[in-house]
Amino acid sequence: QSDEKRGVIKFFEEAMAQEASERLLLEMNLRTGVISGQFELYFQPKVNASSGKLKGFEGLMRWNHPERGLVPPLDFIPLAESTGIIIDLEEWAFVTACRQLKRWHERGDRYELALNLSARHFLSEGVVEKFAQIAREEGVSTSYLTLEITESVGMENQQHVIDRFVAFREEGFSISIDDFGTGFSAFVYLKHYPIHEIKIDRQFIQVTENDPTGNVIVESIVDLARGLNLKTVCEGVETLEQWNALRELGCDEMQGYYFSRPLPLEELETWIVDYTT
Ligand code: C2E
Ligand code: CA
Ligand code: CA
Ligand code: CA
């Protein structure tokens, strides 16, 4: 081997080692973070499309790392998924969400709450019983809870996946297909799985202003959903024009920066007062 070649190999080896150790460090940080309460649940409002009435929220995870600062979910969810830490994190998020929901309900605000559930957690042993039990212990009805899953949960019509959907439904949870239209298995879902809601991905929403083909896609999804008796939620609504266009197309609920960004609880309470009075 030439010196030059050896140098190149060494360079890649070092780069790979560095990446691996950064990953390891992040993984250690994640585990510490779970234990020492560095995670926080933010909430983003969802409103009824025709009335604008506040329906509830989607809970979104945030990581307040002492040195790294606020780490966005896309920077830690994939690692949390591949290491399995996501199961602890989502369990924590679920308990936190149920407690908050209970507080809202006690003061007379019958909000709904949606949470993201990773494929790994959705397919894990005993998850339905675990969630049902937590809801029971926290004193909230599962009929106010929606679990958002992505199409990656199951590409095929597999019996154990179908059973899982059915079990969640029997416990009273609603299931939403998140980022609808971005996977390849959208229609498999509609045919085989008992779901309640489709969440249209924001890439289809954000073209609606000047792009007539964008409208055609949203309109087809909405028509399809209506034919199947499914609720449609549009995410990523950023302007009044988009809201109007999407309402015209018949979408049921809206979520996006136009209404609010995901907020920590305290700011959310201020937003709620402001929005509803
Ligand atoms: P998602 O479930 O599709 O959540 C919507 C994302 O879009 C959120 O990003 C939200 O802040 C952002 N968003 C909302 N409205 C708008 C808008 O009007 N314009 C634009 N450009 N963006 C908007 P966020 O909070 O950074 O979360 C990113 C992703 O992280 C989520 O995407 C979800 O896949 C994942 N995630 C967050 N929490 C959890 C969790 O507890 N479990 C799992 N498995 N994934 C989670
Ligand atoms: Ca979601
Ligand atoms: Ca989404
Ligand atoms: Ca106001």
Side-chain angles (χ1 to χ4, degrees):
Q1 267 177 351
S2 68
D3 279 357
E4 195 187 332
K5 232 184 195 165
R6 259 197 298 273
V8 171
I9 290 170
K10 190 160 182 289
F11 173 80
F12 279 114
E13 278 175 356
E14 278 172 3
M16 270 161 60
Q18 195 182 344
E19 204 185 287
S21 70
E22 265 166 26
R23 220 180 113 90
L24 213 66
L25 184 68
L26 188 67
E27 189 185 330
M28 262 167 49
N29 281 191
L30 259 180
R31 293 191 191 279
T32 320
V34 179
I35 299 164
S36 56
Q38 292 167 6
F39 287 86
E40 190 174 356
L41 199 61
Y42 277 40
F43 299 90
Q44 187 176 35
K46 295 169 79 175
V47 311
N48 179 282
S50 39
S51 66
K53 186 175 185 290
L54 180 59
K55 293 280 294 180
F57 312 92
E58 175 179 3
L60 292 153
M61 240 185 250
R62 294 291 182 268
W63 183 13
N64 297 300
H65 188 273
E67 285 118 45
R68 294 174 196 261
L70 198 66
V71 187
L74 294 180
D75 290 353
F76 68 87
I77 299 274
L79 183 64
E81 283 186 13
S82 64
T83 53
I85 301 172
I86 194 73
I87 295 187
D88 287 342
L89 274 175
E90 288 176 344
E91 193 178 315
W92 161 82
F94 187 74
V95 173
T96 306
C98 285
R99 289 195 182 146
Q100 188 50 46
L101 197 59
K102 171 86 173 166
R103 283 187 210 111
W104 281 322
H105 286 187
E106 276 174 350
R107 75 178 194 207
D109 294 325
R110 312 298 286 180
Y111 298 136
E112 296 166 6
L113 209 47
L115 287 172
N116 297 285
L117 192 61
S118 63
R120 182 164 183 160
H121 201 176
F122 179 87
L123 295 171
S124 69
E125 199 61 40
V127 63
V128 180
E129 297 72 18
K130 180 176 77 176
F131 274 28
Q133 194 189 339
I134 293 173
R136 217 175 301 122
E137 281 170 5
E138 298 300 333
V140 296
S141 162
T142 53
S143 62
Y144 292 92
L145 292 164
T146 296
L147 300 169
E148 299 189 2
I149 57 169
T150 58
E151 291 161 328
S152 62
V153 157
M155 298 302 210
E156 299 148 52
N157 159 30
Q158 291 177 310
Q159 195 54 45
H160 73 279
V161 182
I162 298 176
D163 292 346
R164 197 50 59 89
F165 278 92
V166 172
F168 271 114
R169 182 173 66 180
E170 282 175 351
E171 286 291 353
F173 293 100
S174 294
I175 301 281
S176 175
I177 303 297
D178 207 351
D179 306 336
F180 188 84
T182 60
F184 294 103
S185 55
F187 294 100
V188 177
Y189 270 96
L190 300 182
K191 183 158 163 54
H192 297 290
Y193 299 154
I195 58 170
H196 302 80
E197 175 187 292
I198 286 173
K199 207 156 178 188
I200 305 173
D201 192 69
R202 66 168 178 270
Q203 77 185 73
F204 301 116
I205 305 305
Q206 290 177 347
V207 291
T208 47
E209 270 174 307
N210 306 310
D211 180 356
T213 60
N215 282 332
V216 172
I217 294 175
V218 174
E219 193 168 13
S220 314
I221 298 176
V222 171
D223 286 345
L224 181 70
R226 195 179 290 126
L228 295 165
N229 248 318
L230 301 174
K231 187 160 96 181
T232 45
V233 180
C234 296
E235 63 177 14
V237 179
E238 294 185 351
T239 66
L240 180 60
E241 290 69 35
Q242 288 172 347
W243 180 12
N244 287 332
L246 293 162
R247 173 173 43 205
E248 284 293 300
L249 294 177
C251 295
D252 299 310
E253 283 179 22
M254 305 280 133
Q255 177 183 348
Y257 294 168
Y258 177 69
F259 304 98
S260 171
R261 289 175 178 267
L263 298 171
L265 186 63
E266 206 174 316
E267 282 176 54
L268 179 77
E269 294 288 14
T270 310
W271 180 90
I272 293 175
V273 171
D274 211 47
Y275 187 78
T276 56
T277 56

